[in-house]
Amino acid sequence: MMRYIICLLFFLPLFTAEAAGEKSDRNLCSQKILMISQFNVSYVQYYQLSSSFLNRLNLSGSSYTLDRFDIESFGNPPRQEKHAELQALAEQVKEGKYKIIVCFGLPALELANQYFHSIPPSSAIIVCGINSSFKDKIPRKPNVTGVLQEVNPAQNFALIRRLFPQKKKIILLASWNETGKKVREAAREAIRLYPEM
């Protein structure tokens, strides 16, 4: 009986170490993220979006890698080589290569809606960089989520007036995409409340 106990005490750590090794091997297999964005997303935005995003995800105990697909121009159909690349990418999405697909901006979401018809339930789409007025363009599926931008220039102008009452000029920086257009339209309306600016 004592021999069995000694054998058990000797071999048990070996079996648990092997099982732990198998578990850690599974965690070493990195999961893929696809980020679709306009080509003019600045390096700073790219760094903020991707690097901090990946750092936080990698703290979860799993490893992630990021593939980017850049949209070249606004409102134009993809060139022939981009079209072929998108078709190949759509096949990879369908096969479940990507666990997460990030659509940064309305053109990215529209492109995903156009090309990625078969997204496995195990993959998730995250939508960001889109104004709340475009929320109807986001597919209502259980594996689609995201953050909508709600910009209120009137409240921002009121705060600027309280903090800097002597200032007369405001510079608005907005992108040239659809979300930026909505922000500029809202700002034009809101600035009418402040004729002194």
Side-chain angles (χ1 to χ4, degrees):
M1 179 72 155
M2 189 63 159
R3 264 191 243 157
Y4 292 117
I5 293 173
I6 291 172
C7 286
L8 185 62
L9 290 175
F10 178 74
F11 286 111
L12 187 62
L14 294 176
F15 288 124
T16 55
E18 187 176 323
E22 286 177 15
K23 185 178 179 185
S24 66
D25 286 346
R26 280 193 296 265
N27 285 340
L28 290 176
C29 179
S30 91
Q31 301 194 43
K32 300 286 248 171
I33 299 171
L34 173 63
M35 184 168 122
I36 306 170
S37 64
Q38 288 95 11
F39 77 100
N40 68 343
V41 170
S42 72
Y43 179 77
V44 174
Q45 281 181 311
Y46 168 70
Y47 183 81
Q48 288 173 337
L49 284 170
S50 1
S51 298
S52 62
F53 185 58
L54 285 175
N55 288 341
R56 289 202 173 115
L57 281 174
N58 288 330
L59 290 175
S60 70
S62 294
S63 176
Y64 292 88
T65 57
L66 181 73
D67 290 346
R68 287 196 54 171
F69 184 85
D70 297 324
I71 302 170
E72 295 177 330
S73 57
F74 301 109
N76 295 330
R79 291 189 330 238
Q80 189 62 34
E81 59 269 13
K82 280 288 187 182
H83 179 70
E85 195 177 335
L86 276 164
Q87 287 179 319
L89 199 56
E91 194 58 38
Q92 292 173 350
V93 166
K94 182 180 177 182
E95 292 168 358
K97 177 181 178 181
Y98 296 101
K99 291 295 174 196
I100 301 170
I101 301 161
V102 179
C103 296
F104 185 73
L106 185 61
L109 177 62
E110 289 174 337
L111 188 128
N113 287 339
Q114 180 184 351
Y115 282 88
F116 305 157
H117 302 293
S118 301
I119 297 171
S122 61
S123 297
I125 295 180
I126 300 173
V127 178
C128 57
I130 296 176
N131 189 282
S132 60
S133 60
F134 297 114
K135 66 182 174 188
D136 294 338
K137 296 194 177 225
I138 299 172
R140 301 199 190 293
K141 295 180 182 177
N143 59 340
V144 178
T145 188
V147 179
L148 296 172
Q149 290 180 343
E150 187 63 53
V151 180
N152 190 327
Q155 288 178 346
N156 288 326
F157 292 158
L159 179 61
I160 291 167
R161 293 308 306 141
R162 282 197 303 272
L163 295 174
F164 307 104
Q166 287 78 25
K167 296 292 179 184
K168 302 293 181 206
K169 286 186 179 181
I170 295 176
I171 297 173
L172 174 68
L173 299 176
S175 64
W176 291 104
N177 62 22
E178 294 298 321
T179 298
K181 289 177 189 172
K182 291 287 184 183
V183 170
R184 286 191 301 279
E185 288 170 10
R188 280 189 199 106
E189 286 296 315
I191 199 71
R192 291 179 182 163
L193 300 173
Y194 303 94
E196 73 280 6
M197 291 170 61

